[in-house]
Amino acid sequence: MRLLSRWFSVLLCCSLLALSACGPQEDEDDDSPAETVPVITTQPASVQSDGSAVELRVAASGGGLSYQWYRNETAVSNATSASYSTATAGAYHVLVRNSLGEARSTTAQVTVSVDPVIVVQPASASVTAGGSARLAVVATGEGLSYQWYRGGAALNGATGASLQTNVADSYYVVVSSSRDGARPVTSASATLSVATAAQAPVITTPPVAQSVIAGRPAWFAVTATGTDLQYAWYKDGMQIAGAIERAYVLQPAASVNQGAYHVVVRNGAGVVSSAPVQLTVLPVGDGSNTGAVVAAAQAFLDTLNAAQKTAAASPNATGTVMFAATLANARAWSARSGLHHGLRLDSSLSSRQLAAAERLIAAALSAGGATMVSEIRLSDGVYARLRGDDAAGADRYSIAIFGTPSSSAPWSLQITGHQLVHNISYNAPQVSATPMFVGARPPHWAVNSAGATVTNNDASTSGTPHAALQAQRAAVAALAAALRDDSSSSVAARLPLPVTALLMAPDADSDTAYRAATYPSGTTGRGVRVDRLDTAQQAAVKAVVEAWVKTQAADVAQTLLDAYLASDALNATYVAYGNGVGGSPDFDAYPNAKALPASAANSYLRIDGPRVWIEFLVRSEDGVGGALSAQVYYSSVWRDKVADYGARF
């Protein structure tokens, strides 16, 4: 028992979240950069949450930095890294400190709403006798619907985002969402008045410049006085066909939309034009996250010696982090224990190098994603010890960089090991964080109050519990239950044959599934299409996709979620499940606490969309022997049918 306790302490030392505690005990001050007074280079940005966690992030220079986040001027417990994830509304700032001083960030507001949000209110208008005006609202949210009211009474058939009317009165619109739990929101009132004479247009509130990440909505709006107003929007001096509303909306915005926009407002009494304002559309490479990752990658490289960053001579090279950006190099990852290419995160690195690697991984992922990496490595250490597999373990994970870290040129970061691979591409043709393979082996375990490691724990077990893929498992379990609660979807989604291996995983040597395996097509044998599901079931589908995608940095995740969960994409997505050995899909939180854990084996769930592909499988440890005998574990893969490896190859 004491040996297991001592081993676990060593394992924790080598985890990703405590890398700096391991490695050679050298004098780190010899080649460490001198500290300077902290300077914040990237301020945290205000953000709106739909009820799920959002990420606040700060970047700073100075060396030897520590962080403390505050909500409404009160320190947040354990919020002591450069990023902080929260689903709680409030005013947030961070103090960045070192031995020479501190810097306080600007305040970022986190607002939480599952309700639709009106971003452009209807504006009052004036017409001359016999004229009519168009009142319009711009809102964001999911599955929006509209109902206009005049003088407090609902207008029959007035259910669009705009309303054409010639009746002088007061108007407002109620915007509703199909999202579960969302409350309708009511716009401000707008008045249509009838003037006795024409009045020339005057712009009172001009459009304002803005920057958005590609894939997110952008809009310009103008407010003007005058009668019988007509609007025409221009981009780079050219009129935009069909852009004749008071607001011009791009949903989503793409790089081709970047440019200078202005609006011309006219009527029979005159014409007035706004000044041009710039729309900047940021690819992920120019977003806040890429700059932080590039800086963290360069800081990591600066800690390495020449051999550790010499270009690899073969796809399977070890001892170096640098690889040419070729498909042969990128796809040389597998899900087996043993030697993985790249620079090993073990005692061959100094504590300073390991700490820099930790900061790079944290910069590249969300807070939840970085925690998942740590938990997977810890689980693999448990597996290595109990299985007696010297090729596995927390220190058998590696980092590889394909190309040169840059804020403008394409490159990729890979984090790889027995139960994990992240492939994150920057400045690539497509925003991409795939292929991503994650596993939990064992799926749950605990260090009990006596200091012993147990893998058949349940919720009542004393001590510290671990479950590396808890967020993913819980989302899968909820979706499977939602499908089976309805007899028609239960039958339509069930696969006829048991699934014993992931369809799109790599083989023992490399990612042979890329461009080699064929994804299902057609309308049969793929499960049930999402547009055939009810609202609650559709919400459960989205939660599964988010559980994988939100392991990534906020700007990467949002761009991918916008693509995967757009209405047309979601409606063309299929969901399927496979029964376990016990005759039903079993995604219980503690399968190895059951009398017959293997009854959960082969429980399977799949999301199959126009782009997104996610598989989750419960696998059997049958034949392993020892402490893990007859237990089960989890494997999963997330791919993008369009954008694996950034669509570079």
Side-chain angles (χ1 to χ4, degrees), residues 425-442:
S425 297
Y426 299 93
N427 313 312
Q430 293 279 352
V431 174
S432 176
T434 58
M436 178 178 125
F437 171 88
V438 289
R441 191 175 190 182

Side-chain angles (χ1 to χ4, degrees), residues 33-113:
E35 287 188 7
T36 59
V37 175
V39 175
I40 294 177
T41 55
T42 302
Q43 299 284 353
S46 295
V47 65
Q48 179 172 301
S49 166
D50 61 2
S52 57
V54 294
E55 187 175 69
L56 301 172
R57 187 181 290 271
V58 69
S61 61
L65 300 177
S66 64
Y67 305 84
Q68 176 60 60
W69 289 88
Y70 292 76
R71 178 173 61 245
N72 301 331
E73 301 299 323
T74 300
V76 180
S77 178
N78 298 319
T80 55
S81 66
S83 62
Y84 175 60
S85 291
T86 182
T88 303
Y92 290 81
H93 75 272
V94 60
L95 288 184
V96 184
R97 299 184 177 97
N98 65 13
S99 61
L100 298 179
E102 69 178 29
R104 175 181 170 132
S105 75
T106 57
T107 298
Q109 294 288 339
V110 175
T111 55
V112 179
S113 175

